[in-house]
Amino acid sequence: MRVTNGSLLILTGAVHQVVGLVVYRKPLLEMVHAGVFNSVGEDTSARAAAFWFLAAGGLMLLIGALCRWVERELNRPLPASFGWGLLGVALFCVVPMFETGAWVFFPLGLRVLFQARTPKALPEVLRPFAKRADHVDVKTVESEASLRAFLAGLLSYQPAWVTALYGVRRVFVRMLGLRQLGIPRPQHPRPEDIPMTPGSAAAFFTVRHAEEEHVWVAAATDSHLEATLAVVMEPTGGARKRFHVVTLVHYRHWTGPVYFNVIRPFHHLVVGGMARSAARQGPALGLA
């Protein structure tokens, strides 16, 4: 289900090759009849154009396969330099020749740049949960709260505008054939109420892994995707600790990327608000 930049580049290369075989079928047949070996030589530009057209497509397929391996097997985004390179190639091609398929490198390059901005360096404890994730983002804040107090503040966050978003979401998911069982009501768990046992329920999440004063991982699974929320506490040497709030998304159906990419901007607003609110409320909750 995961659509990587490498997969898109492979698709671009495959379409490029099909177009080349159709457009340059005559000079390619001439090369076959000439025995292929040294059949381009110093001959007409048609054979040379056919050769370099297919050579370029072959390179796209090769580079796309390498990119796909990096994204899927290493679970790392492509570097921003590769995105800038794609934009440079696109510009180099379209300026002297508007009628070119190189226009496709513009959106692909921008996609690489956007994903390169998303932090992917995860603590080792989260790597098993992040394997083959389709989306990873990290929000980092500092607070004097304990892990349980921070989590209590995190799960308590539901201002009126977030409740309103749940109402809009309820209409949207119906359009995708999904369902939402009502609008979640605000909850205000205490630090001692935070479940730390795998399999325990925490709101609409299920705890997957937890270590006191270190890490808490919980996931919610639906027909279209699985969303994992994790918090990793990092000591800083003083009273304040650094909290990394991590979201992992694994698509399970074609509706997964459609749904998540529509709500993505709101996701960042909500999770960012949760992290900041937990950083402020956590110390007070820990003293309660």
Side-chain angles (χ1 to χ4, degrees):
M1 277 305 301
R2 184 181 181 186
V3 179
T4 64
N5 293 303
S7 301
L8 294 175
L9 193 53
I10 290 173
L11 177 62
T12 301
V15 172
H16 187 276
Q17 297 300 70
V18 171
V19 171
L21 291 173
V22 173
V23 173
Y24 292 105
R25 60 186 180 279
K26 185 176 180 180
L28 288 172
L29 286 173
E30 290 176 358
M31 292 168 64
V32 171
H33 293 151
V36 180
F37 182 75
N38 200 30
S39 57
V40 176
E42 299 178 359
D43 198 32
T44 63
S45 61
R47 291 189 186 184
F51 171 78
W52 287 113
F53 193 95
L54 294 182
L59 284 173
M60 287 186 216
L61 293 171
L62 184 62
I63 296 172
L66 177 61
C67 292
R68 185 173 183 270
W69 181 82
V70 169
E71 293 173 290
R72 300 197 67 165
E73 298 303 322
L74 301 184
N75 195 37
R76 294 181 62 87
L78 299 177
S81 57
F82 185 75
W84 288 115
L86 287 175
L87 294 178
V89 170
L91 196 62
F92 177 81
C93 293
V94 303
V95 169
M97 185 171 59
F98 268 35
E99 294 182 3
T100 172
W103 288 98
V104 73
F105 290 141
F106 282 114
L108 186 56
L110 291 173
R111 190 174 192 263
V112 171
L113 288 174
F114 178 80
Q115 293 184 352
R117 294 178 58 217
T118 303
K120 295 282 185 171
L122 296 176
E124 191 65 31
V125 68
L126 296 184
R127 293 192 180 276
F129 302 98
K131 188 175 182 180
R132 296 187 181 278
D134 295 291
H135 172 85
V136 179
D137 67 74
V138 183
K139 315 294 183 191
T140 302
V141 294
E142 291 189 359
S143 175
E144 296 182 4
S146 65
L147 177 60
R148 283 179 173 268
F150 185 87
L151 291 169
L154 195 78
L155 298 177
S156 298
Y157 183 77
Q158 190 175 324
W161 66 270
V162 172
T163 302
L165 283 178
Y166 275 119
V168 176
R169 178 188 183 275
R170 190 175 187 179
V171 176
F172 174 56
V173 296
R174 286 181 179 176
M175 296 170 59
L176 295 178
L178 307 174
R179 63 175 180 169
Q180 174 178 300
L181 299 177
I183 296 177
R185 302 180 64 179
Q187 299 186 21
H188 302 285
R190 297 171 298 175
E192 58 269 26
D193 296 330
I194 300 298
M196 301 294 284
T197 304
S200 302
F204 46 82
F205 290 99
T206 300
V207 177
R208 294 292 177 82
H209 179 80
E211 300 175 30
E212 292 284 357
E213 294 301 283
H214 177 41
V215 62
W216 188 82
V217 184
T221 303
D222 209 330
S223 59
H224 59 307
L225 56 75
E226 178 181 80
T228 300
L229 176 67
V231 176
V232 179
M233 191 181 80
E234 176 189 354
T236 62
R240 296 180 69 82
K241 281 89 71 174
R242 190 170 293 117
F243 291 88
H244 304 285
V245 181
V246 183
T247 303
L248 309 170
V249 178
H250 292 81
Y251 300 142
R252 306 183 67 203
H253 189 257
W254 68 265
T255 52
V258 174
Y259 166 79
F260 186 73
N261 283 293
V262 170
I263 65 106
R264 186 193 295 260
F266 306 104
H267 159 78
H268 288 293
L269 285 174
V270 172
V271 177
M274 291 171 66
R276 291 188 295 272
S277 176
R280 292 191 303 268
Q281 296 185 33
L285 290 171
L287 296 173

